[in-house]
Amino acid sequence: MRQVRGVLFVDYVRMVRGHGLGTVGGGLRPEDVALVKQRIDPQAWYPMDTFERLGLAILQGIVGQELESIRMWGRYQVTTVAGLFPAILAPDEPRETMLRAGVLMGSFFDFPAIEVRSISDTSAAVHIAYSMSEAAERAASWQSMGFFEGLLGMAGATDIVADFDSMSWHDKGAPTRLELGWGPPHAHDD
């Protein structure tokens, strides 16, 4: 059984609770509802299948297929992750921040869901393979795009550009490949 850490699971649970979606039906199972009612431990492991069903409930009940909203949610999620794991940020060092993010993201799943595959001073390639349904995979990939954009912004990167080079929901069998580019941080006047 694939698992995800509570640090990511908790945001899904908050959204489901906040919008009254935490009931059986609408794609949620009794075991999902039981987890929604519990206190979520950011360090604990939770079932990836429940994570997917919660994400789909959020898609259907809150954001629909509005990908830009999902991307913005990813940007927002950076604040939670950086608050719990402040070492992810290397101020004014986007490259180092991406290296740290690659290591940290590897600890959020018990399988290789997100991997920073290549990195330079102004670009990175991230492979995304949550292995979920097409709708869930697309939404989670857009959320990941927003997350990395937000993270780079917090690290001082400028002129951030993000785009998918390949998408698993279009290219069956291929992982999603997110390409990121950025400019150097602005010089600070001391």
Side-chain angles (χ1 to χ4, degrees):
M1 174 174 66
R2 296 173 308 125
Q3 298 181 92
V4 59
R5 287 258 189 220
V7 66
L8 300 180
F9 196 81
V10 71
D11 283 337
Y12 279 42
V13 168
R14 282 186 194 132
M15 292 278 285
V16 166
R17 284 179 188 160
H19 288 86
L21 302 173
T23 60
V24 175
L28 295 185
R29 296 179 180 174
E31 63 266 29
D32 304 333
V33 174
L35 284 171
V36 167
K37 292 179 179 179
Q38 293 179 12
R39 181 188 168 278
I40 304 302
D41 177 355
Q43 296 298 326
W45 290 104
Y46 294 91
M48 191 67 185
D49 290 343
T50 296
F51 186 69
E52 178 178 357
R53 287 189 292 271
L54 293 176
L56 290 170
I58 292 165
L59 277 176
Q60 295 166 3
I62 302 171
V63 297
Q65 297 299 318
E66 177 50 49
L67 296 175
E68 283 303 318
S69 295
I70 296 166
R71 188 177 186 178
M72 291 304 293
W73 182 16
R75 288 181 188 160
Y76 166 79
Q77 194 177 32
V78 173
T79 305
T80 301
V81 172
L84 291 169
F85 301 95
I88 194 173
L89 283 173
D92 295 326
E93 294 186 41
R95 181 182 188 279
E96 177 64 24
T97 296
M98 285 298 296
L99 287 169
R100 293 177 184 189
V103 172
L104 186 62
M105 295 306 271
S107 73
F108 288 166
F109 300 91
D110 67 350
F111 62 100
I114 300 176
E115 297 179 286
V116 177
R117 290 281 182 96
S118 64
I119 190 162
S120 74
D121 288 341
T122 59
S123 67
V126 179
H127 281 215
I128 303 169
Y130 294 107
S131 300
M132 299 188 292
S133 67
E134 184 176 309
E137 191 79 18
R138 181 177 52 247
S141 294
W142 277 84
Q143 183 179 354
S144 297
M145 176 189 281
F147 178 87
F148 283 109
E149 289 171 323
L151 183 64
L152 285 166
M154 288 178 76
T158 58
D159 305 318
I160 301 164
V161 177
D163 198 10
F164 294 114
D165 184 45
S166 66
M167 297 167 277
S168 62
W169 54 95
H170 287 171
D171 306 320
K172 301 297 183 208
T176 298
R177 183 177 160 102
L178 173 63
E179 295 287 337
L180 297 157
W182 62 86
H186 293 295
H188 298 286
D189 295 327
D190 293 329

